[in-house]
Amino acid sequence: MSMIESIILGLVQGLAEFLPISSSGHLAALQHFFGISSDNVLTFTVMLHFGTLIAIFVAYWKDIVDLVIELFATLKDLFTGKGLQMNKNETRRLGVMIIISTIPTAVIGLLFYDLFESLYSSMLFIGAALLITGTCLWFAERKGGGKKGVKEMTMKDALFIGVCQSIAICPGISRSGATMVGGLLSRFNRPHAVRYAFLISIPSVLGAFIMELPSAVDAASSEQGIGMGVMIAGIAVAAVSGYAAIKVMIKAVTNEKLFYFSIYTWIAGLFLIGYSIFAAMA
């Protein structure tokens, strides 16, 4: 992989991770057209996700600090026999909900890891998944949304959004799109839906990064793998473009502009399906 390819992939990762157009689908497609070895596809994707994690930490640093502080306070209450006290304050309730949403993602991701990895090489599947992403965004934009915030969230809402995030492990299904759709269909108000979607990505992306780190190091050191400098460049570009995309996404959801992303994913999906059919016939 060249430095230019890494920068392009990092840019796409940063933008597509937070815009609801599927970063995994775009990366898999670009890596296919660039002719990058399939052995490096998933590893490089996970490494670029680390760059977008940096973007989330910068954009939501205050929320994250508050959640970490409240986590220690919660552990103290548990060890001193005071119990969970989930409704003690909004930060604690939010933290508990994030943990609940993470459970389905962790379970499904571990059980079907090999299946999800195999789908990265299927442009036909990714194209179909992009069509599904666009349709879900269109439906949620028209039927979803409400007035619920952290106080009104239920465990059922958290589990539902967690399942939505689990489905988005498939390349072509947007993670941010799926979780925002889940939030809007759960009647969240729009600022809470986008904030929650980004915050719950932290445990799952961080977990995937930790799992793939040994493979990434091997890939970086391999003569035929991805060089460390190339990988760092991609991560840096993903972080910067990801931060910009977060700001764009907050405005898009608040101003009810998700339909534009539906149109894009429909066009991209149809292109990949057409390409796959043509390639099979050639």
Side-chain angles (χ1 to χ4, degrees):
M1 181 186 297
S2 68
M3 181 67 72
I4 295 299
E5 290 172 338
S6 175
I7 292 173
I8 292 174
L9 292 173
L11 178 63
V12 171
Q13 164 64 26
L15 296 176
E17 174 65 20
F18 301 115
L19 302 180
I21 56 177
S22 178
S23 60
S24 59
H26 278 72
L27 285 177
L30 286 176
Q31 288 166 333
H32 172 80
F33 292 121
F34 283 163
I36 300 171
S37 170
S38 60
D39 292 338
N40 293 326
V41 170
L42 189 59
T43 297
F44 191 62
T45 298
V46 172
M47 295 305 295
L48 290 182
H49 272 71
F50 179 68
T52 54
L53 268 178
I54 296 174
I56 297 175
F57 274 92
V58 173
Y60 288 96
W61 67 269
K62 188 177 185 304
D63 287 315
I64 294 170
V65 170
D66 289 343
L67 285 167
V68 171
I69 293 174
E70 192 58 36
L71 172 62
F72 285 106
T74 303
L75 292 174
K76 179 182 178 181
D77 286 344
L78 289 172
F79 287 130
T80 56
K82 295 180 180 179
L84 181 60
Q85 300 186 75
M86 186 174 74
N87 296 318
K88 185 174 184 178
N89 55 60
E90 284 195 16
T91 302
R92 181 170 299 193
R93 186 174 181 83
L94 176 62
V96 172
M97 293 300 173
I98 290 174
I99 293 173
I100 293 173
S101 292
T102 302
I103 294 173
T105 306
V107 173
I108 294 176
L110 290 172
L111 289 177
F112 299 100
Y113 177 86
D114 292 337
L115 173 62
F116 292 136
E117 184 176 7
S118 67
L119 296 175
Y120 276 77
S121 60
S122 174
M123 296 300 103
L124 180 62
F125 177 88
I126 294 173
L130 285 170
L131 296 182
I132 294 172
T133 292
T135 302
C136 290
L137 290 172
W138 178 86
F139 181 80
E141 184 77 309
R142 280 151 181 74
K143 303 297 182 180
K147 298 181 179 181
K148 293 169 67 173
V150 178
K151 290 182 178 180
E152 294 77 24
M153 278 187 70
T154 65
M155 291 186 180
K156 181 180 178 181
D157 294 333
L159 282 172
F160 173 64
I161 296 172
V163 171
C164 291
Q165 182 171 242
S166 302
I167 297 171
I169 299 176
C170 296
I173 301 294
S174 167
R175 191 209 57 77
S176 61
T179 50
M180 286 179 202
V181 166
L184 291 174
L185 293 181
S186 297
R187 315 307 298 177
F188 288 4
N189 64 58
R190 289 176 178 269
H192 179 48
V194 66
R195 175 189 179 216
Y196 191 74
F198 290 152
L199 288 177
I200 67 171
S201 71
I202 296 174
S204 59
V205 176
L206 183 59
F209 170 75
I210 292 173
M211 287 180 61
E212 286 295 325
L213 186 58
S215 297
V217 172
D218 290 341
S221 61
S222 172
E223 292 183 0
Q224 297 180 347
I226 305 169
M228 185 61 74
V230 171
M231 190 174 290
I232 291 175
I235 292 172
V237 173
V240 174
S241 58
Y243 180 80
I246 288 174
K247 298 302 182 181
V248 171
M249 196 60 205
I250 292 173
K251 292 183 178 179
V253 175
T254 303
N255 297 328
E256 302 183 15
K257 301 296 184 181
L258 288 178
F259 179 71
Y260 294 110
F261 298 109
S262 294
I263 295 175
Y264 174 80
T265 52
W266 285 335
I267 293 173
L270 289 173
F271 169 78
L272 287 180
I273 291 173
Y275 166 81
S276 299
I277 295 174
F278 178 79
M281 296 174 59

